[in-house]
Amino acid sequence: MAPLFKCLEACFELFVPLVVADMIDIGISTHDIGYILSRGGLLFLLALVGLITSLTAQYFSATAAAGIGKSISNDLFSHILSLGYREIDEIGTAKLLTRISSDVTRVQSGINMFLRLFMRSPFIVFGAVVMAFSVDAKTASIFVVLVIILLIIVFGILIGTMPYYGRVQQSVDRVTLLTRETLSGQRVIRAFNRQEQEKKDFAEENDRLLSFQLFAGKISALMNPLTTAVVNIGIVCLLYSGAIQVNVGDLSQGQVIALVNYMNQILVELIKLANLIILISRALTSMHRINEIMDVQNPMTSEQAIEPSELSEPEGKSRNTVSLEASEALNTSAEDGSSASFADMAKASASPAPIVEFKDVSFSYGNGSAHVLNDISFSAAKGDSIGIIGGTGSGKSTLINLIPRFYDIDEGEILIDGKDIRRLDIKELRRRIGLVPQKAGLFAMSLRDNLRLGNPDAEDELLLRSMDDAQASELLEIKEGGLDHMIEQDGRNLSGGQRQRVTIARALSKEPEILILDDAASALDFATDARLRKRLKEYSGRMTVFIVSQRVSAVRDCTRIIVLSNGSIAGIGSHKELLCGCPTYREICETQMTEEEVKRDEIA
């Protein structure tokens, strides 16, 4: 509808020079005031109808552009939420923010202007040429030459500026990244007095963005003076040729004025068209950037579940599962003075009815990087509490991120109830898992709504019980409104320990079969941590609990403890068994416990 009404507006505009010509040739030359007034009334009517059609066209174009912008934003946001950790890591948050904000806005503006001008401007340009030929074919030949020169100028400038608009958007990505890092890390920046350096880095990137924009702007700025100069030269030629023909009687004065008006219409519309093409080129660049994100697919969707035939078996690897019941192998090795190797543990009997089972799992973050985890094998039965401990960078968080299938493994299998998780529906898989990440993520909504994220149908009774189990009941007493207390973005109005306890309560309110605590008590004092672990023991038999921590005190009471070192399992067993048979675990204990405590635990 928008292009249709714009073409109607253009039609009325093309009749204006002919009416003016008649007004000059008939009304003014004969001093016919009545005819002049009638032609003036016709001009007013054409202007009024043109205004109505123009407003109608702009209404439809704005409505269409806003609707398309809304649809693109919704689709892009939904697609981003469907991406896996690996895809988001590769793209980067700053790029995603730029795509869904400035790029979508550019596309919306481009569509709006396209609907308003893309049909109108070419229609008037070529319509003016046709109308000029209808007035006088000989003089109108100037129009043909003029239009060809103007098109060369317009498209030459367009081709010269398009590459720079892509660089401008890339630079916008970088500026967005610096802004985001500065705002999120402002405490660290101030703590190390890095304000001036951050200002310098931002200024350098901002200057780079400015240089790209200025260069593209300088080339684009040639558009108006060049096209105006060419058209004015054309008008001079037109007046010269027209004057000669008026003198010999081949043209009237009104027809010459009509030709000049058509020339001016061509000038105005070509300038509009040139600006439109530049705007569209920037919109196309943004659309291409949006499509780059939309083309990224998450291979872990339910519709793309891997078939059994596609699950490759690692060549030359044993299919034996390392059992969590490895105490016998460890104790035997400890008694004869030898250290228990991982191979010795693999000979231990398997846990009964494992709910989670890793079989020869290896994983890397892609892009040709080395494996972060190597040949990980263990099993955990329902009701077990599994501690995972190791040095920084040993792969603890990576290991537990594989259970909800945030990443797909490179080799081996991860089984839940005997089924490979790559063959399970992802929503169903994650419905069974409650996860408390290292960074407590809370949203700007009420405490109740935050707790219900995993279980929207949870009653207040369940939420209150979960808060009590997570040692967060005091929060309901000191915060006004109880469960209706509003949480700010990222939980800024809560302390670090309070945020962690709320996230633990959120996971418990989901009533999961598998609970994963990824260093979730690092901000808690030892007394609160002890009460929390004691309360979690009451969940024994109802769920399998994985506790990731660098504290020995957090995992020592677990059914079994997995010790990671450089992405491999260095030991597996109970606290006492590992003290006797795992040098890596003993070294960790000796750094956190006194020598008397280590010896006491060893002989207990």
Side-chain angles (χ1 to χ4, degrees):
M1 296 299 293
L4 173 62
F5 278 95
K6 274 296 178 181
C7 287
L8 288 175
E9 178 196 359
C11 290
F12 295 127
E13 191 169 330
L14 288 173
F15 283 113
V16 169
L18 297 180
V19 176
V20 173
D22 287 343
M23 185 183 293
I24 294 172
D25 291 337
I26 300 174
I28 295 178
S29 63
T30 61
H31 303 285
D32 188 345
I33 302 301
Y35 188 84
I36 294 174
L37 292 176
S38 65
R39 295 295 94 178
L42 180 59
L43 287 176
F44 178 78
L45 181 61
L46 289 174
L48 180 61
V49 175
L51 175 63
I52 294 173
T53 55
S54 176
L55 292 176
T56 305
Q58 293 195 24
Y59 169 79
F60 283 120
S61 62
T63 302
I68 292 173
K70 174 186 174 182
S71 297
I72 293 176
S73 296
N74 285 338
D75 291 345
L76 184 58
F77 187 76
S78 299
H79 184 70
I80 290 173
L81 288 181
S82 73
L83 297 178
Y85 277 30
R86 191 190 297 270
E87 291 76 32
I88 293 178
D89 291 343
E90 292 175 354
I91 298 171
T93 306
K95 290 183 179 180
L96 294 176
L97 289 174
T98 306
R99 300 299 196 276
I100 204 169
S101 54
S102 64
D103 282 320
V104 171
T105 301
R106 287 186 187 278
V107 171
Q108 181 174 327
S109 299
I111 291 172
N112 189 10
M113 298 303 295
F114 176 85
L115 293 174
R116 288 168 55 184
L117 296 177
F118 189 74
M119 290 295 291
R120 168 193 162 85
S121 293
F123 188 87
I124 286 186
V125 169
F126 292 104
V129 173
V130 172
M131 297 297 285
F133 272 94
S134 70
V135 174
D136 182 67
K138 182 179 179 181
T139 309
S141 60
I142 298 174
F143 282 74
V144 177
V145 177
L146 187 71
V147 169
I148 293 174
I149 295 174
L150 289 174
L151 289 177
I152 292 174
I153 293 174
V154 169
F155 285 99
I157 292 176
L158 174 64
I159 294 172
T161 55
M162 281 187 65
Y164 280 89
Y165 290 125
R167 297 183 185 181
V168 166
Q169 287 303 100
Q170 292 175 0
S171 188
V172 170
D173 286 344
R174 179 63 181 165
V175 170
T176 303
L177 173 63
L178 290 177
T179 304
R180 183 174 180 273
E181 288 182 340
T182 302
L183 293 176
S184 61
Q186 56 179 308
R187 294 184 180 180
V188 177
I189 292 171
R190 292 177 180 177
F192 290 97
N193 291 320
R194 297 283 297 178
Q195 294 96 319
E196 295 303 320
Q197 184 61 42
E198 290 298 320
K199 291 178 183 178
K200 181 181 177 182
D201 293 343
F202 185 84
E204 289 177 356
E205 192 59 45
N206 217 15
D207 289 341
R208 186 177 295 110
L209 172 60
L210 176 63
S211 65
F212 288 143
Q213 290 177 321
L214 283 179
F215 189 84
K218 287 176 181 178
I219 297 178
S220 299
L222 295 173
M223 185 82 68
N224 286 357
L226 287 178
T227 52
T228 302
V230 171
V231 170
N232 284 329
I233 292 172
I235 291 175
V236 170
C237 296
L238 185 63
L239 289 173
Y240 179 79
S241 175
I244 294 174
Q245 295 189 65
V246 168
N247 192 43
V248 299
D250 291 341
L251 278 178
S252 66
Q253 294 175 344
Q255 288 175 321
V256 173
I257 296 300
L259 291 173
V260 172
N261 283 337
Y262 283 128
M263 187 74 75
N264 283 322
Q265 284 185 348
I266 291 175
L267 169 63
V268 172
E269 294 306 322
L270 276 178
I271 292 175
K272 288 182 180 178
L273 183 61
N275 292 329
L276 171 65
I277 292 174
I278 292 174
L279 184 61
I280 289 177
S281 68
R282 301 179 71 175
L284 289 174
T285 300
S286 294
M287 193 70 244
H288 175 70
R289 286 157 54 84
I290 293 173
N291 282 335
E292 287 179 349
I293 305 300
M294 299 298 289
D295 289 340
V296 176
Q297 296 298 322
N298 181 5
M300 297 187 291
T301 59
S302 302
E303 292 77 8
Q304 294 173 308
I306 300 176
E307 296 298 326
S309 59
E310 298 176 7
L311 301 178
S312 59
E313 298 285 345
E315 294 183 6
K317 289 191 176 182
S318 170
R319 301 303 299 157
N320 293 330
T321 300
V322 175
S323 171
L324 295 178
E325 302 295 335
S327 58
E328 182 178 352
L330 284 167
N331 289 336
T332 303
S333 61
E335 289 173 2
D336 61 15
S338 62
S339 60
S341 66
F342 183 61
D344 295 331
M345 293 179 233
K347 298 176 183 178
S349 59
S351 298
I355 186 173
V356 179
E357 191 172 6
F358 278 59
K359 292 186 176 181
D360 301 322
V361 170
S362 295
F363 170 77
S364 68
Y365 283 103
N367 298 324
S369 59
H371 280 162
V372 180
L373 297 175
N374 295 286
D375 301 333
I376 302 297
S377 297
F378 67 87
S379 63
K382 187 173 183 179
D384 283 341
S385 57
I386 311 301
I388 302 176
I389 195 170
T392 301
S394 58
K396 304 185 296 296
S397 295
T398 300
L399 188 147
I400 57 95
N401 280 334
L402 299 179
I403 299 175
R405 203 184 170 199
F406 291 150
Y407 299 94
D408 263 338
I409 60 178
D410 298 334
E411 300 174 6
E413 291 179 319
I414 301 177
L415 309 177
I416 291 184
D417 289 339
K419 297 179 181 179
D420 194 301
I421 61 173
R422 290 171 291 183
R423 295 170 55 193
L424 297 176
D425 180 271
I426 285 186
K427 291 183 179 180
E428 177 62 23
L429 169 66
R430 293 175 183 170
R431 185 194 62 78
R432 303 173 63 182
I433 298 173
L435 174 65
V436 184
Q438 284 182 330
K439 182 180 178 181
L442 297 175
F443 297 89
M445 55 179 68
S446 68
L447 177 59
R448 176 185 286 104
D449 291 335
N450 269 286
L451 293 174
R452 283 179 172 173
L453 283 177
N455 186 3
D457 300 324
E459 300 290 339
D460 284 358
E461 181 181 356
L462 174 59
L463 301 182
L464 293 173
R465 186 170 68 249
S466 299
M467 290 285 286
D468 183 56
D469 292 339
Q471 306 303 303
S473 295
E474 65 179 42
L475 185 63
L476 300 174
E477 301 172 1
I478 63 177
K479 296 296 183 181
E480 184 178 351
L483 290 175
D484 293 320
H485 178 72
M486 292 303 299
I487 305 296
E488 295 181 6
Q489 182 182 359
D490 289 333
R492 288 194 301 259
N493 56 338
L494 302 178
S495 68
Q498 289 172 337
R499 287 196 295 268
Q500 285 192 336
R501 282 178 284 172
V502 170
T503 55
I504 293 172
R506 180 175 62 192
L508 293 176
S509 65
K510 189 179 180 181
E511 297 185 307
E513 298 176 24
I514 302 170
L515 178 64
I516 300 174
L517 305 176
D518 186 5
D519 207 11
S522 58
L524 304 184
D525 59 83
F526 286 98
T528 304
D529 186 20
R531 291 196 300 270
L532 173 63
R533 285 186 279 109
K534 181 179 179 181
R535 189 62 63 90
L536 288 177
K537 283 185 178 180
E538 299 177 7
Y539 284 85
S540 176
R542 285 187 286 166
M543 65 175 67
T544 302
V545 181
F546 289 85
I547 302 176
V548 177
S549 180
Q550 296 190 38
R551 290 183 186 176
V552 173
S553 59
V555 300
R556 62 182 297 165
D557 295 327
C558 290
T559 308
R560 288 294 180 265
I561 303 170
I562 300 173
V563 184
L564 292 179
S565 177
N566 297 323
S568 300
I569 293 182
I572 188 168
S574 65
H575 174 65
K576 178 180 178 181
E577 293 166 352
L578 291 171
L579 274 177
C580 299
C582 181
T584 302
Y585 184 76
R586 187 180 184 90
E587 181 181 350
I588 295 174
C589 291
E590 289 174 347
T591 60
Q592 300 182 24
M593 302 165 60
T594 64
E595 185 177 349
E596 290 75 13
E597 289 175 329
V598 172
K599 290 182 178 179
R600 184 176 64 248
D601 288 350
E602 190 174 10
I603 63 177

